[in-house]
């Protein structure tokens, strides 16, 4: 589970240095953006408010269930649908942690879902269709956090994640940072 990302929640930065070595080069991301090495990115945190009935359910939930409850609340569903509609025609990733939530969103958005159980051949077929513009919206689990090359992805909507992990969010934002042929920037939404 150790990755080379230095933004960590697990206090294992020392392991990265001992296993991989020290950082050799560091470029300010704004410089990389201005020179065209990465796409300009706009990161937006969108907060939803629980309904009265959801607040009651949250208040009476067991402490260990509260995070998942908020991460998967149905209040987010309408917002996700509106964001996807707002960016209709753009290459959009909907990214989350909870498979049942992702399956529900995939059905609602009429979009394929890629998750751990998706066979490699099917993943590649869907990723290729996304790269070629045949599919504009993909719903993906954390399998898309690492090493997925989707250069024309311009929008990512993070619906749920691993307890607010900065490392995971940085990895997900990275899915959008390839410079676009059109010169268009990227938009990353964190729905909380």
């Amino acid at each position: 589970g150790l990755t080379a990302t230095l933004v960590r929640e697990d206090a294992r930065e020392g392991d990265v240095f001992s296993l991989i070595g020290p950082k050799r080069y560091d470029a300010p991301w704004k410089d990389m953006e201005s020179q065209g090495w990465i796409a300009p990115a706009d990161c937006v945190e969108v907060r939803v408010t629980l309904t009265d009935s959801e607040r009651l359910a949250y208040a009476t939930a067991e402490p260990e269930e509260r995070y998942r409850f908020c991460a998967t609340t149905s209040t987010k569903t309408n917002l996700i649908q509106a964001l996807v509609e707002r960016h209709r025609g753009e290459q959009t990733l909907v990214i989350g942690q909870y498979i049942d939530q992702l399956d529900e969103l995939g059905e609602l958005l009429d979009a394929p879902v890629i998750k751990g159980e998706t066979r490699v051949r099917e993943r590649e077929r869907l990723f290729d269709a996304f790269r070629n513009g045949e599919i504009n919206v993909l719903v993906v689990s954390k399998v898309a956090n690492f090493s997925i090359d989707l250069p024309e992805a311009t929008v990512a909507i993070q619906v749920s994640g691993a307890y607010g992990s900065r490392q995971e969010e940085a990895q997900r934002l990275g899915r959008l940072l390839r410079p676009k042929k059109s010169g268009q920037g990227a938009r990353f939404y964190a729905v909380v």
Side-chain angles (χ1 to χ4, degrees):
L2 183 66
T3 66
T5 305
L6 293 177
V7 177
R8 306 194 66 82
E9 311 306 329
D10 60 8
R12 294 182 67 189
E13 293 87 356
D15 290 350
V16 173
F17 292 120
S18 66
L19 294 171
I20 298 171
K23 185 188 312 184
R24 293 304 219 183
Y25 180 76
D26 189 10
W29 69 271
K30 275 301 202 187
D31 290 350
M32 292 173 60
E33 181 183 278
S34 69
Q35 295 171 16
W37 295 107
I38 61 173
D42 184 20
C43 299
V44 180
E45 183 176 273
V46 183
R47 293 179 175 266
V48 299
T49 302
L50 300 177
T51 65
D52 289 341
S53 63
E54 288 172 328
R55 286 181 190 181
L56 179 60
Y58 174 82
T60 59
E62 294 296 322
E64 62 274 6
E65 296 171 4
R66 288 181 177 169
Y67 179 81
R68 182 184 173 110
F69 180 84
C70 286
T72 61
T73 180
S74 60
T75 301
K76 288 183 172 184
T77 304
N78 291 338
L79 176 62
I80 303 308
Q81 196 169 18
L83 288 172
V84 169
E85 183 60 31
R86 179 183 200 178
H87 293 281
R88 179 189 292 269
E90 295 182 55
Q91 297 301 100
T92 302
L93 299 171
V94 178
I95 307 173
Q97 175 83 5
Y98 299 104
I99 301 303
D100 52 345
Q101 177 188 39
L102 299 177
D103 286 338
E104 180 183 311
L105 286 168
E107 190 172 315
L108 177 73
L109 300 170
D110 193 28
V113 180
I114 298 176
K115 50 194 174 185
E117 67 187 39
T118 307
R119 296 195 177 274
V120 172
R121 180 176 280 163
E122 179 64 3
R123 284 183 199 190
E124 284 308 313
R125 185 188 73 74
L126 292 169
F127 286 142
D128 284 342
F130 186 83
R131 286 181 197 107
N132 296 328
E134 298 163 27
I135 296 173
N136 291 110
V137 178
L138 271 181
V139 178
V140 294
S141 72
K142 62 184 179 180
V143 300
N145 285 2
F146 304 99
S147 303
I148 302 299
D149 184 27
L150 303 171
E152 294 303 312
T154 56
V155 177
I157 304 168
Q158 177 176 256
V159 298
S160 56
Y163 307 102
S165 167
R166 294 173 303 149
Q167 175 190 11
E168 181 177 68
E169 196 162 278
Q171 291 290 347
R172 290 174 173 183
L173 174 61
R175 301 292 65 85
L176 303 179
L177 293 181
R178 290 279 300 275
K180 314 300 175 225
K181 291 176 191 169
S182 67
Q184 180 179 358
R187 173 75 51 99
F188 182 87
Y189 294 97
V191 181
V192 296

